[in-house]
Amino acid sequence: MTGIILDIAEKRFPAAAGAPARLIYSDFRLEVAPFGFLVLLAPSGLGKTTLLNMVAGLDPDFAGGIRFEPSPGRSFSAEGPRIAYAFQSPRLLPWRRVRDNVALPLGRDPAAAEKAMAMLREVGLEEQADAYPERLSLGQQRRVALARAFVLDPDVLLMDEPFVSLDEAGAARLRDLLRRLLARRPATVMFVTHDSREAVELGTRIVRLDGVPARIVADIPVGLSADERRNPALVEECRRAVFG
């Protein structure tokens, strides 16, 4: 698996539309261990999504560096680690069928169609393979987005509030699905949420950010076992212990 080392000397948002330039990160360092499930908690607008975008390579406009380090005995391909990103919205292409949306990250892989169908079976949407995204509920669209992320067998999985706007029952089902997918396809995860209960239920480590520029104000390990995470009472007890 892949560890992530972030050394952000400086990240600014430039002045725009009359607003002044804004310093987001300065001398910021964060390490994510291989197989870790790191949850980022912070107030809105503090730069959580920006951090994921820098890790994904979508925002290279910063001073510093981000390194990916394979665990002992592992190595990357020439292209580096496989990175998958699940966004706040599912971001499915409306003119493509569900199976084609899932296969999209595989490019010209001759087995793309077969792999996409296998992932749709895993997330319980095989019967929707030929549907267009508009025919799916939001929960189903988010399942498709998870399938699209995992079809890569990613080394690194970035998730930016992927279950937002769902009711609690729907979000709980998707959290359970995510745990099952990770059990079969382990990855190093960086997960953004505003939900402290979700953070405890999923994460092995919770990092809280605050201030301008953003800084780490708490770094909390979560020691719940896989079985304990399925127990709502134990999750709530741990959440109260961590957050008060």
Side-chain angles (χ1 to χ4, degrees):
M1 284 297 103
T2 303
I4 311 169
I5 300 173
L6 298 86
D7 274 308
I8 312 300
E10 183 175 287
K11 170 61 182 176
R12 291 180 179 271
F13 287 159
R22 182 180 169 206
L23 181 63
I24 305 299
Y25 291 102
S26 178
D27 297 325
F28 180 87
R29 181 177 174 85
L30 177 64
E31 295 189 21
V32 187
F35 291 105
F37 194 124
L38 175 76
V39 177
L40 289 169
L41 284 175
S44 296
L46 206 71
K48 304 182 296 299
T49 298
T50 299
L51 200 63
L52 294 191
N53 288 342
M54 289 190 287
V55 174
L58 300 177
D59 185 352
D61 186 20
F62 65 93
I66 295 173
R67 303 198 313 275
F68 300 96
E69 296 194 346
S71 56
R74 298 286 295 270
S75 61
F76 298 141
S77 68
E79 291 78 24
R82 296 184 300 272
I83 300 175
Y85 201 149
F87 300 92
Q88 287 184 14
S89 63
R91 295 197 183 185
L92 305 179
L93 300 180
W95 60 88
R96 287 181 180 263
R97 298 180 189 273
V98 164
R99 61 181 175 185
D100 297 324
N101 269 281
V102 174
L104 191 62
L106 297 174
R108 298 180 180 276
D109 185 339
E114 179 182 347
K115 291 178 180 178
M117 288 302 298
M119 279 306 314
L120 286 171
R121 282 193 291 274
E122 284 201 50
V123 302
L125 288 177
E126 182 180 13
E127 293 184 359
Q128 304 294 334
D130 289 323
Y132 288 96
E134 65 180 11
R135 303 300 299 271
L136 305 183
S137 68
L138 178 59
Q140 289 174 323
Q141 289 181 25
R142 293 195 182 281
R143 284 176 178 264
V144 175
L146 278 178
R148 183 180 58 192
F150 276 95
V151 79
L152 278 173
D153 284 328
D155 301 301
V156 174
L157 177 60
L158 307 176
M159 309 192 78
D160 188 3
E161 297 189 82
F163 310 139
V164 71
S165 302
L166 294 173
D167 60 43
E168 177 51 33
R173 287 192 292 270
L174 283 177
R175 288 193 294 266
D176 183 63
L177 174 60
L178 174 60
R179 285 193 297 267
R180 287 188 278 118
L181 290 171
L182 284 170
R184 298 186 193 113
R185 296 174 172 81
T188 302
V189 182
M190 292 182 68
F191 187 102
V192 166
T193 183
H194 286 97
D195 185 339
S196 60
R197 191 183 189 287
E198 183 171 70
V200 170
E201 185 177 339
L202 290 175
T204 58
R205 178 182 168 202
I206 299 171
V207 168
R208 296 177 63 186
L209 305 178
D210 206 348
V212 180
R215 66 188 186 282
I216 296 173
V217 296
D219 192 337
I220 308 159
V222 180
L224 295 177
S225 69
D227 287 339
E228 289 170 335
R229 292 175 192 274
R230 288 190 284 270
N231 185 321
L234 288 177
V235 170
E236 179 59 21
E237 180 182 336
C238 181
R239 189 195 69 80
R240 288 197 302 268
V242 169
F243 295 101

